[in-house]
Amino acid sequence: MPSIRVLLCLIFIFLVHGSFAWLSNQPQDAGTDVPSGKLMSLSFAPFREGFSPLEEKFPLPEHIDEDLRLLADKTESIRTYSSLGGQQPTPALARKHGLKMIQGAWLGYGYKDNSNEVNALIKSANENPDVVKRVIVGNEVLLRGDMDVDRLIGYIREVKKAVKQPVSYADVWSMYMKYPKLINEVDFITIHILPYWEDEPISVENASQHLEKIVKQVEDEARGIAPGKPILIGESGWPSAGRQRGMAIPGVVNEAKFIRGMIQVANRHGFDYNIVEAFNQPWKSELEGVVGANWGLFSADREPVFPLTGLVNETPNWPIRFAVATLIWLLAIVRYSKKLAQVSLIRMLAFFTLAQVFGVCLVTLADFLWYTSYSTWQRLYTVALVIANTVLGALLLERGGDILSDKPGSIKLASSLRAGYLVFILLALYKTYGLAMNGRYLSFPIEQFAIPAFGVIGLIACLWLKENKFNGRTLAFNSLIGGNLQSRRDRFFAYLLSFGAIALILGEAKAFMDGRDFIQAHPGFSEGLPFALSYTLYNQQLLAWLVCLLTLSLPFWTKHRSKQDA
């Protein structure tokens, strides 16, 4: 009879999990299909994993050749950002594959480096007029504060005198509003419109209207200075992974929605555009975290991130994740089925459900962290986190099984659980205060702490089923781990976690209020604070992380100290 109950529980939970996984991973409508034909232009940086301009590990000619071959039937043109750094062969290889170029020169602090870039750009433009159709001198130099506008204008004038192609400078749209004299200097106005990065982030649903609004605003500004001057949307795109900003949520489906919507707007209004970007850039994770490395139409492995036509699946590999999670779950069941053979059906269901949740959390963590790891150290961190979560999950299942089977707590198990939770709490504090102080490019580590958080909830549920009552003792850390090991100093962790949650909210709100465009739109503290808090508290990832923090802190708030094992 017990074996029949086990089988019934297995079938029930498998069906529930399978149904939920299937329903939540249905392909979604991402808007109107992109018309047949090629895209106008794609930003092209041929840096693969292991290559980085920061480390001066530049792309090989064969990489550029392979990438341009892949892009040849996707786009009419490519935009490059540097004329040096291993990208010298690009014009010849673009010609080979029938591509045109918007070639750039990368400008920064150094006079010598800038001079070399400008000279290389001039040389390439003059030697390849059939391929290089426009040139761009500098990219977001003013935004980064690398030089003043007059020095930049000097470089623009130098290039204009030396080449026959139209010359421009590329920056976020607001820089042309701040420095309108740039409009007179360039042959065409190159603006970046990135709704995700706006000081007041725009949702993907409103991104197309925002794009139209900004182009019109720039046109109106230019009309009074240089009527009819062409405008190029030099960068516009959406990240497929990373941290949420206000109403701007990264994701594969949202990236597809934005790109398709942007192309519809561009075609309707005749906008000249360049999509950022062709390929995900692993090296950008060093500067901009997960979100910076995931703007490509293709992954770092040169696989399409999403289709330009038809329905789009946020997690196309979900069947594999489901299968692996189920396998982990079954292994856990085999390990603990004898201990639970005589318990009631509801207790057995509770344990099997907890084991399934842990399996799903572990697979989600491993898949996401590995996909967003781009270096040896990042992968080592991923492996360490997966191992730590696996160990803690096994300890939690051991303790859950003891509670549900009415077995006394083990001091050894309690000590291990205490040590494991203290490690995760210290890591959570490090992550939280980092997010609070400078979290612009840091992702919320929800996946990394899902097992510890669900572990607290699961053990509380197990104690409630055992004792058929809910009180302070049910929440006490001693009761959860099954040993009288809690110290008075442990409440300090609860304070730190709770203060961290408050600091995170304030830090996120302050980051919005520090934005130049935000300040212009909402001058004054009292006017800006409500908007900043609304963007902050709309952030679903931030709220999920706050729930994790408060869940981890909950057992440490109680003063109860059990005198016997739970």
Side-chain angles (χ1 to χ4, degrees):
M1 191 68 177
S3 60
I4 295 177
R5 287 193 301 160
V6 171
L7 183 60
L8 289 174
C9 286
L10 288 174
I11 293 173
F12 175 75
I13 293 177
F14 177 82
L15 290 176
V16 171
H17 178 206
S19 299
F20 178 80
W22 181 76
L23 289 172
S24 60
N25 286 285
Q26 287 295 293
Q28 300 177 49
D29 180 13
T32 306
D33 291 351
V34 173
S36 59
K38 297 181 180 181
L39 302 171
M40 279 190 181
S41 181
L42 292 173
S43 290
F44 174 62
F47 292 92
R48 303 188 179 194
E49 186 175 324
F51 293 82
S52 168
L54 302 177
E55 300 176 7
E56 297 189 352
K57 294 180 179 177
F58 299 120
L60 305 177
E62 53 265 36
H63 292 167
I64 299 174
D65 189 22
E66 292 169 4
D67 287 348
L68 295 183
R69 182 183 300 113
L70 180 60
L71 296 179
D73 63 345
K74 304 292 189 303
T75 182
E76 300 283 354
S77 176
I78 58 171
R79 178 190 168 188
T80 61
Y81 293 79
S82 173
S83 295
L84 295 173
Q87 299 187 60
Q88 294 89 328
T90 304
L93 293 171
R95 179 184 295 111
K96 172 183 175 182
H97 296 291
L99 289 164
K100 305 303 180 185
M101 286 181 63
I102 307 170
Q103 187 166 357
W106 185 264
L107 302 183
Y109 287 109
Y111 283 89
K112 182 177 179 181
D113 291 339
N114 291 342
S115 178
N116 291 337
E117 276 280 352
V118 166
N119 290 336
L121 174 63
I122 292 171
K123 182 174 184 293
S124 177
N126 289 332
E127 291 180 353
N128 302 281
D130 59 320
V131 173
V132 180
K133 294 301 182 181
R134 289 179 283 185
V135 300
I136 294 178
V137 183
N139 183 75
E140 297 187 352
V141 175
L142 300 177
L143 178 67
R144 296 194 304 272
D146 286 355
M147 66 177 65
D148 60 46
V149 66
D150 292 324
R151 183 180 165 200
L152 171 62
I153 288 173
Y155 287 119
I156 294 172
R157 289 175 177 175
E158 179 182 350
V159 174
K160 285 181 71 173
K161 290 178 182 178
V163 304
K164 295 180 180 179
Q165 292 91 337
V167 178
S168 185
Y169 163 70
D171 212 324
V172 296
W173 63 271
S174 59
M175 285 299 157
Y176 271 96
M177 303 294 97
K178 184 177 181 180
Y179 302 106
K181 63 181 178 179
L182 277 173
I183 295 173
N184 261 332
E185 300 294 334
V186 297
D187 296 318
F188 60 100
I189 303 166
T190 303
I191 54 174
H192 296 171
I193 307 176
L194 301 166
Y196 171 86
W197 280 125
E198 293 285 3
D199 284 351
E200 295 187 72
I202 310 298
S203 69
V204 72
E205 290 77 16
N206 296 320
S208 294
Q209 298 94 307
H210 176 73
L211 189 145
E212 292 180 84
K213 172 188 170 184
I214 296 303
V215 172
K216 185 178 185 304
Q217 187 174 333
V218 176
E219 284 177 339
D220 290 343
E221 180 73 21
R223 189 174 294 116
I225 300 172
K229 185 158 287 190
I231 294 176
L232 166 66
I233 303 174
E235 281 187 2
S236 199
W238 198 271
S240 61
R243 63 121 62 210
Q244 181 177 345
R245 295 188 71 244
M247 300 176 185
I249 305 173
V252 173
V253 174
N254 281 350
E255 183 182 10
K257 284 181 179 179
F258 178 80
I259 297 298
R260 294 186 188 184
M262 186 200 77
I263 292 173
Q264 293 297 319
V265 170
N267 289 342
R268 187 163 61 247
H269 294 279
F271 292 160
D272 189 4
Y273 70 83
N274 172 78
I275 296 172
V276 61
E277 57 192 323
F279 302 103
N280 284 349
Q281 296 292 292
W283 68 273
K284 288 186 179 179
S285 66
E286 296 293 329
L287 296 175
E288 301 175 6
V290 170
V291 72
N294 287 276
W295 288 72
L297 272 63
F298 292 87
S299 70
D301 297 325
R302 276 44 187 172
E303 296 294 329
V305 174
F306 62 89
L308 291 173
T309 59
L311 301 177
V312 178
N313 198 312
E314 186 69 41
T315 312
N317 68 336
W318 74 265
I320 297 175
R321 289 169 55 159
F322 171 74
V324 176
T326 301
L327 177 60
I328 294 172
W329 173 61
L330 290 174
L331 291 174
I333 298 307
V334 170
R335 169 70 175 80
Y336 297 104
S337 59
K338 290 183 180 180
K339 179 183 290 190
L340 298 165
Q342 302 303 320
V343 303
S344 65
L345 181 62
I346 188 66
R347 292 191 180 192
M348 187 176 292
L349 274 173
F351 182 84
F352 285 6
T353 300
L354 187 61
Q356 183 66 292
V357 168
F358 285 174
V360 172
C361 290
L362 190 62
V363 171
T364 302
L365 166 68
D367 184 55
F368 178 76
L369 272 193
W370 192 262
Y371 179 78
T372 56
S373 294
Y374 309 104
S375 68
T376 301
W377 286 113
Q378 289 174 349
R379 289 201 172 94
L380 286 174
Y381 177 80
T382 294
V383 171
L385 256 292
V386 170
I387 292 173
N389 274 271
T390 301
V391 172
L392 183 64
L395 294 173
L396 288 166
L397 288 177
E398 184 77 32
R399 175 58 182 156
D402 287 346
I403 294 172
L404 294 172
S405 59
D406 297 318
K407 291 189 176 181
S410 161
I411 295 298
K412 181 179 179 181
L413 177 59
S415 298
S416 298
L417 279 170
R418 175 179 168 79
Y421 266 98
L422 291 184
V423 168
F424 273 98
I425 285 171
L426 290 174
L427 183 59
L429 290 171
Y430 171 77
K431 297 280 188 181
T432 300
Y433 285 97
L435 283 162
M437 294 174 65
N438 188 18
R440 180 177 176 85
Y441 300 116
L442 300 179
S443 297
F444 296 98
I446 303 161
E447 299 86 358
Q448 301 174 37
F449 292 85
I451 286 179
F454 277 117
V456 170
I457 296 170
L459 293 184
I460 290 173
C462 289
L463 283 173
W464 175 67
L465 286 174
K466 174 186 176 181
E467 301 177 356
N468 200 25
K469 60 183 178 180
F470 189 84
N471 52 33
R473 184 176 184 277
T474 312
L475 301 177
F477 190 59
N478 280 340
S479 299
L480 296 182
I481 65 175
N484 193 17
L485 302 176
Q486 192 169 0
S487 166
R488 290 181 179 180
R489 292 190 299 270
D490 287 354
R491 179 165 285 204
F492 184 60
F493 293 119
Y495 286 122
L496 289 177
L497 288 167
S498 300
F499 290 154
I502 296 171
L504 179 56
I505 294 173
L506 296 177
E508 188 83 354
K510 181 180 183 299
F512 285 118
M513 295 182 71
D514 287 342
R516 188 181 67 86
D517 295 337
F518 185 96
I519 293 171
Q520 288 186 347
H522 311 289
F525 180 83
S526 59
E527 182 177 342
L529 183 60
F531 287 93
L533 285 176
S534 68
Y535 295 138
T536 297
L537 297 177
Y538 186 88
N539 191 322
Q540 300 162 25
Q541 294 178 357
L542 182 145
L543 294 178
W545 179 237
L546 292 180
V547 170
C548 281
L549 292 177
L550 296 177
T551 301
L552 290 174
S553 71
L554 184 62
F556 294 98
W557 280 112
T558 178
K559 293 181 179 179
H560 177 81
R561 302 185 67 188
S562 60
K563 296 182 179 179
Q564 59 184 5
D565 294 334

